[in-house]
Amino acid sequence: MYLPVEETLAQEAGSPLPLSEAASRTPEELANIVSLFASSDGWMDRVRLRAEDRWYERLYYGQDHDIWVIGWLPGQSTGFHDHGESSGAFVVATGTLEEHRPGEQANVIPPGQPRAFGSDYAHDVRNASFAPAISIHAYSPPLNEMNKYDLDGSRLVPRERATERVDTLDQEWQVQRQTSANRTGVLSIEQILSAARARLKRLSPDEAHDATARTEAVLVDIRPEGQRVIEGGIPGALIIERNVLEWRFDPASSSRLPIATDHNLQVIVFCSEGYASSLAAAALQDLGLWRATDMVGGFHAWRLAGLPSTSPGRAS
């Protein structure tokens, strides 16, 4: 771990650590800090996603810098802002973000490539992808305020009364953590399902049938055996139950199927009604199988479409 637990979680214990005359960190040093922190253990289980806006938490407040983690759902952004008198750096831990600067082309930031900047820096960071993202940020001196801007052509115009005190942000996330009764910051299964489906180009039963007939697409039945016996099946579909799906299709897995040799394989997952299959297909995309998707309506919709199926009573 980059920092001892007592220091990393210092904010929870009470007041921030007092500032001293210690020299500020350079942007290059901050880039090293976020990279090292992102590769460490012990912080990922604190991450949450929030449907209304980005989720964030300050994990460390030290004498010359602080560290934040931010969780992003697709479409969430910061808007144009600066960081007061602080220099900064951030690195994407998972997913992909975009950085926008006035008059410049958008910069796509993949995982592991830190961005560092001085105190006179303003930008807009966005999750323009179809998948959630997590990023680690560090500021020196510790972040104290953020000024917001509107974009007028290629010029940034300060918003009136749009300066945010970071101690207010700290108070907000403390309330989020303490108000467990309403589960603030935690997504419902419907929100998780919507986020998963936003990433997928889902196929109808007819489209799935055509894809497997005309291409090398693989139709995968993830239903448990009991459901297959009761409902019937699809001739030629691979039967890979949900609990081992990722291990069978990850090209890097020692338990992979012979056909799972690269990330270009098109896997079409189906379940009974097309709910669990969406989450499963999104999990395969997380492994790099970018063409993975699922079938709308699942096996029930396939059978209603009059497509070939086996009779109930047969597990495969």
Side-chain angles (χ1 to χ4, degrees), residues 9-292:
L9 309 180
Q11 279 298 103
E12 294 185 354
S15 300
L17 299 174
L19 295 180
S20 71
E21 298 300 321
S24 296
R25 300 278 188 160
T26 65
E28 292 74 20
E29 288 174 325
L30 293 174
N32 290 332
I33 286 171
V34 293
S35 296
L36 186 58
F37 195 94
S39 64
S40 66
D41 299 322
W43 60 268
M44 183 63 80
D45 61 352
R46 302 175 67 86
V47 175
R48 301 290 184 270
L49 295 172
R50 187 168 59 186
E52 314 88 72
D53 196 3
R54 293 168 301 122
W55 173 93
Y56 49 83
E57 182 174 321
R58 183 186 246 158
L59 295 182
Y60 172 72
Y61 192 120
Q63 294 182 339
D64 57 7
H65 72 282
D66 60 355
I67 299 175
W68 297 72
V69 59
I70 300 179
W72 314 67
L73 282 176
Q76 293 179 344
S77 67
T78 61
F80 283 99
H81 67 283
D82 65 22
H83 313 89
E85 298 181 355
S86 300
S87 297
F90 69 98
V91 66
V92 178
T94 63
T96 302
L97 295 176
E98 283 186 3
E99 182 186 38
H100 293 252
R101 295 264 290 157
E104 298 180 8
Q105 187 173 4
N107 183 28
V108 177
I109 305 172
Q113 297 185 9
R115 293 283 294 167
F117 44 84
S119 58
D120 58 347
Y121 196 83
H123 62 174
D124 175 17
V125 181
R126 309 173 188 174
N127 182 1
S129 72
F130 294 120
I134 302 168
S135 56
I136 301 293
H137 303 243
Y139 303 97
S140 182
L143 191 63
N144 187 52
E145 66 177 357
M146 297 171 64
N147 302 296
K148 295 186 177 181
Y149 299 86
D150 291 316
L151 185 62
D152 181 8
S154 60
R155 185 172 63 94
L156 291 180
V157 179
R159 291 186 188 176
E160 294 185 6
R161 297 182 298 278
T163 297
E164 289 187 276
R165 295 287 301 180
V166 174
D167 52 4
T168 301
L169 298 179
D170 275 338
Q171 292 170 10
E172 288 179 3
W173 71 253
Q174 288 283 12
V175 170
Q176 293 168 15
R177 290 175 59 81
Q178 294 169 4
T179 313
S180 57
N182 61 14
R183 305 294 291 169
T184 301
V186 178
L187 294 180
S188 69
I189 186 57
E190 293 301 328
Q191 291 169 324
I192 294 173
L193 181 63
S194 294
R197 287 177 171 172
R199 304 163 54 181
L200 306 175
K201 184 178 179 181
R202 306 184 73 208
L203 302 179
S204 69
D206 285 328
E207 290 172 329
H209 180 266
D210 290 345
T212 55
R214 299 178 183 177
T215 70
E216 296 181 355
V218 180
L219 193 61
V220 178
D221 186 345
I222 63 169
R223 295 173 299 162
E225 181 179 4
Q227 277 187 321
R228 299 196 306 272
V229 169
I230 293 171
E231 298 173 348
I234 297 177
L238 283 180
I239 297 173
I240 310 291
E241 293 196 6
R242 178 66 189 89
N243 62 325
V244 296
L245 182 69
E246 289 92 332
W247 282 265
R248 297 295 182 261
F249 283 101
D250 181 1
S253 170
S254 60
S255 300
R256 68 173 178 82
L257 296 170
I259 59 171
T261 57
D262 60 54
H263 294 99
N264 291 321
L265 180 66
Q266 184 181 12
V267 180
I268 306 170
V269 185
F270 72 92
C271 59
S272 286
E273 297 181 337
Y275 292 93
S277 59
S278 295
L279 302 180
L284 292 179
Q285 286 198 357
D286 288 339
L287 291 174
L289 283 87
W290 59 276
R291 301 175 67 195

